[in-house]
Amino acid sequence: LMYRYVDNHDLLNKMSRLAREELRHFEQVMALMKKRGVDYPHIEAAHYAGQLRRPIRTSEPHRLVDILIVGAVIEARSCERFAKIAPFLDDDLQKFYLSLLKSEARHYQDYLKLAQKAAGIDISDRVDVFLSLEKIIIETESDEFRFHSGPLKRPLKKAS
């Protein structure tokens, strides 16, 4: 029996709202960058999310559960990092980062609730699988600095 996403109205509604909110955040970031004269250069994507997705199962509803758990982990880590960065920012940027932090906190909780509902059983063990992998990913040295990268293999060059 194929798992049907279209029959899960709670999932569809929450994910639709989350997608709109994330797009609004992107628009806000673009406006802030423009206002501050910051370019938007093309950079390679971080390997974080791709590596985190490796253990996703392929059969449904397990696939959906795993995708939602990965979303929760990414959102929770973003929330944590916004909290760490915010105190070092100017007032306007700090206010923005703190608003993002609140959204990310809500998002990771929504992802976990949806995963739990889709699984129909306790997902703690499955969450632990992804958290263990995530720990390895963020502790592994990275060649490039990214929001979700691990420590850099070499120090960043100071802006002149």
Side-chain angles (χ1 to χ4, degrees):
L1 183 63
M2 183 165 184
Y3 189 79
R4 296 181 43 137
Y5 299 121
V6 294
D7 293 340
N8 190 336
H9 295 288
D10 188 37
L11 171 74
L12 296 175
N13 284 325
K14 279 198 178 13
M15 295 309 294
S16 174
R17 284 193 309 257
L18 188 143
R20 286 192 305 271
E21 189 173 6
E22 293 290 2
L23 285 172
R24 180 68 187 130
H25 292 162
F26 178 73
E27 292 164 357
Q28 290 172 314
V29 167
M30 294 300 297
L32 276 168
M33 290 174 72
K34 183 176 180 181
K35 179 180 174 183
R36 292 170 179 246
V38 176
D39 290 333
Y40 187 81
H42 172 76
I43 60 173
E44 295 296 319
H47 298 287
Y48 173 84
Q51 291 174 355
L52 200 53
R53 289 185 182 107
R54 285 185 181 158
I56 290 177
R57 296 169 288 184
T58 56
S59 64
E60 297 296 355
H62 307 295
R63 180 174 181 274
L64 173 60
V65 170
D66 287 353
I67 289 169
L68 291 167
I69 291 170
V70 167
V73 171
I74 292 170
E75 297 289 315
R77 183 67 60 206
S78 296
C79 181
E80 174 188 86
R81 292 193 173 189
F82 285 135
K84 295 288 187 188
I85 293 169
F88 301 98
L89 304 174
D90 63 64
D91 290 345
D92 288 339
L93 208 48
Q94 183 181 72
K95 182 179 176 184
F96 179 61
Y97 270 56
L98 292 175
S99 74
L100 292 178
L101 184 156
K102 290 177 188 171
S103 295
E104 304 300 281
R106 189 177 65 256
H107 295 170
Y108 96 78
Q109 292 169 1
D110 285 346
Y111 274 119
L112 284 179
K113 287 176 192 168
L114 290 168
Q116 184 64 56
K117 182 178 178 183
I121 60 170
D122 182 56
I123 60 170
S124 300
D125 288 345
R126 199 65 193 154
V127 170
D128 288 343
V129 166
F130 289 98
L131 288 177
S132 296
L133 174 58
E134 200 248 2
K135 181 180 187 306
I136 293 167
I137 295 168
I138 64 170
E139 289 179 349
T140 301
E141 288 186 340
S142 299
D143 290 323
E144 299 285 337
F145 174 75
R146 298 291 185 268
F147 191 68
H148 290 290
S149 65
L152 288 174
K153 288 182 182 175
R154 62 193 184 312
L156 282 175
K157 294 178 185 173
K158 292 197 180 214
S160 19

